[in-house]
Amino acid sequence: MEKTEIWVDGDACPVRDEVFRVAGRLSLVVHVVSNGARGVRLPEVDWVKRVIVAEGADAADDWIAERIRPQDLCITADIPLASRCLERGARALSPTGRIWTSDNIGQALAGREVSRHLREIGALTRGHAPMTGSDKSRFLSALETEVQAALRGAEAKPAALWRPGLFD
């Protein structure tokens, strides 16, 4: 079995440094994928790979979803990307430490669609809360748990989920 790699949805990831710290300790490759719109500083080490994709709403997500493998882990706040990673048998983790699974991703996708609809009709919705110290602590704990499970070869439960547009 190939070694676990970590895929970071890099444009707005507030926990890159934490990922680098854990990956460095465990000698894991980290792919930081972005559309290049922001200059993201990365450590100058051979195990951190910068991937710049073309501009576009889902270009980074598509790049990750096409390449992630079952033994890998994706760090993303993007719920549809997390769902796509789960469908490929990989693991997914939010920057706040929420472990995405086949048991909770469906509800998150549905909630995202409700929020999108409310915004479309002009209702006020809350944005993401700012990161707190407890969020980062929860993230580090969840990251360690997920990486260790991936390294052991424990299977993530693949998700077979409904997504907007999937069956239209």
Side-chain angles (χ1 to χ4, degrees), residues 54-168:
E55 297 276 336
D58 293 323
D61 297 355
D62 292 343
W63 199 92
I64 293 169
E66 291 167 7
R67 288 163 180 82
I68 198 163
R69 303 163 304 163
Q71 72 270 19
D72 294 342
L73 170 64
C74 180
I75 310 300
T76 184
D78 187 281
I79 298 167
L81 173 58
S83 176
R84 292 171 70 186
C85 292
L86 291 175
E87 288 173 1
R88 292 194 42 114
R91 297 174 179 281
L93 178 63
S94 82
T96 59
R98 183 163 189 186
I99 298 171
W100 295 112
T101 68
S102 60
D103 294 333
N104 65 17
I105 196 77
Q107 182 177 1
L109 285 166
R112 181 180 180 275
E113 281 302 302
V114 168
S115 294
R116 182 191 58 76
H117 177 71
L118 289 172
R119 284 189 304 274
E120 283 179 357
I121 62 172
L124 297 176
T125 59
R126 298 182 319 209
H128 293 288
M131 283 288 287
T132 65
S134 62
D135 288 332
K136 287 192 178 188
S137 178
R138 187 172 42 253
F139 172 78
L140 275 170
S141 177
L143 176 61
E144 189 68 36
T145 298
E146 288 299 282
V147 166
Q148 291 300 327
L151 289 170
R152 284 191 316 271
E155 288 187 30
K157 294 195 314 193
L161 305 166
W162 173 86
R163 277 200 304 272
L166 184 64
F167 299 110
D168 295 343

Side-chain angles (χ1 to χ4, degrees), residues 19-95:
V19 171
F20 299 148
R21 196 166 51 241
V22 170
R25 181 172 46 82
L26 298 171
S27 301
L28 302 178
V29 170
V30 177
H31 304 272
V32 180
V33 184
S34 67
N35 68 9
R38 296 182 183 100
V40 176
R41 279 193 183 194
L42 302 179
E44 294 185 23
V45 293
D46 61 351
W47 49 269
V48 173
K49 312 292 184 191
R50 178 187 305 270
V51 178
I52 298 176
V53 297
E55 297 276 336
D58 293 323
D61 297 355
D62 292 343
W63 199 92
I64 293 169
E66 291 167 7
R67 288 163 180 82
I68 198 163
R69 303 163 304 163
Q71 72 270 19
D72 294 342
L73 170 64
C74 180
I75 310 300
T76 184
D78 187 281
I79 298 167
L81 173 58
S83 176
R84 292 171 70 186
C85 292
L86 291 175
E87 288 173 1
R88 292 194 42 114
R91 297 174 179 281
L93 178 63
S94 82

